[in-house]
Amino acid sequence: MSAATLERRTVMAQLLEDRGRMLVVTGLGATAWDLASLSDSPQDFPLWGAMGGAAMFGLGLALAQPDRPVVVFTGDGELLMGLGALSTIATTRPSNLSIVVLDNERYGETGAQPTHTAAGVDLAGVARACGFERTTTVREMDGVPALRAELHAGGGPLLAVVKVALTADPMTLPPRDGTYLKNRMRAALLGPSAIYE
């Protein structure tokens, strides 16, 4: 059992405070529900499937929108599913991309089985080994304001692991229609006619 005590939604709320033009991508499951409990913005793109794909989705968005900060919120299980993304991001080096791993050391979607982080796998260390120059691990709330400042300042790529408690937060579902989510983000970024292109 994780000894972490940080509450994931409290952390996300602080990190997204006054987010401005920031684009946010989430992995499936808990991080999508966390974001939906805080925001329903055209600047949000919660993934409903494609486990392991959130970081690469964020990379594509960061490359397409280099003047906007892009933050991916994902879980440890989701990132472990797509670890190869870290080497691609490290070699591509998008300065506007940050990945925040809300690490509760469990596969929340399948019954809270322990992930490899529960056995000591250090995702920030993996990112450093792939070539990330900026990584951090946050274990206490007093580390959240500094992480927020880094997310808003850019200068990535950044990978931040936030050790959070295993909690059963109320499920708040984001819009489920992928076409709707794509179209509303495209319209917000490129104008209303972009949904027809």
Side-chain angles (χ1 to χ4, degrees), residues 1 7 18 29 35 42 49 54 63 65 68 95 107-109 115 117 133 136 140 146 151 154 163 166 174 186:
M1 182 68 73
E7 295 179 5
D18 298 325
L35 180 62
L63 295 175
Q65 296 291 319
R68 289 177 177 258
S95 63
Y107 287 104
E109 298 307 300
T115 68
T117 64
E133 294 180 4
T136 188
E140 304 291 339
L151 296 182
K163 297 299 257 187
L166 180 63
R186 285 182 58 83

Side-chain angles (χ1 to χ4, degrees), residues 68-182:
R68 289 177 177 258
V70 176
V71 177
V72 174
F73 285 94
T74 187
D76 46 308
E78 209 262 353
L79 186 61
L80 284 163
M81 181 76 80
L83 271 183
L86 297 181
S87 57
T88 301
I89 292 167
T91 55
T92 309
R93 301 190 184 283
S95 63
N96 58 331
L97 177 61
S98 300
I99 300 170
V100 178
V101 184
L102 298 178
D103 180 2
N104 64 5
E105 302 181 355
R106 294 291 184 273
Y107 287 104
E109 298 307 300
T110 57
Q113 300 90 348
T115 68
H116 295 317
T117 64
V121 170
D122 175 6
L123 292 172
V126 172
R128 283 192 299 276
C130 288
F132 276 66
E133 294 180 4
R134 297 178 60 221
T135 66
T136 188
T137 299
V138 175
R139 298 177 188 278
E140 304 291 339
M141 280 306 291
D142 61 7
V144 175
L147 176 57
R148 180 187 173 278
E150 287 194 81
L151 296 182
H152 290 252
L158 164 72
L159 184 123
V161 175
V162 180
K163 297 299 257 187
V164 296
L166 180 63
T167 56
D169 298 304
M171 189 180 298
T172 305
L173 299 178
R176 189 171 188 163
D177 183 331
T179 302
Y180 166 76
L181 291 168
K182 176 200 61 138

Side-chain angles (χ1 to χ4, degrees), residues 28-43:
L28 75 166
T31 54
W33 307 334
D34 296 339
L35 180 62
S37 76
L38 300 170
S39 171
D40 183 23
S41 166
Q43 297 178 181

Side-chain angles (χ1 to χ4, degrees), residues 1-22:
M1 182 68 73
S2 171
T5 58
L6 297 183
E7 295 179 5
R8 54 188 308 127
R9 291 188 178 176
T10 301
V11 170
M12 186 184 281
Q14 289 194 20
L15 294 177
L16 293 179
E17 188 176 330
D18 298 325
R19 65 187 264 197
R21 293 165 36 92
M22 180 185 290

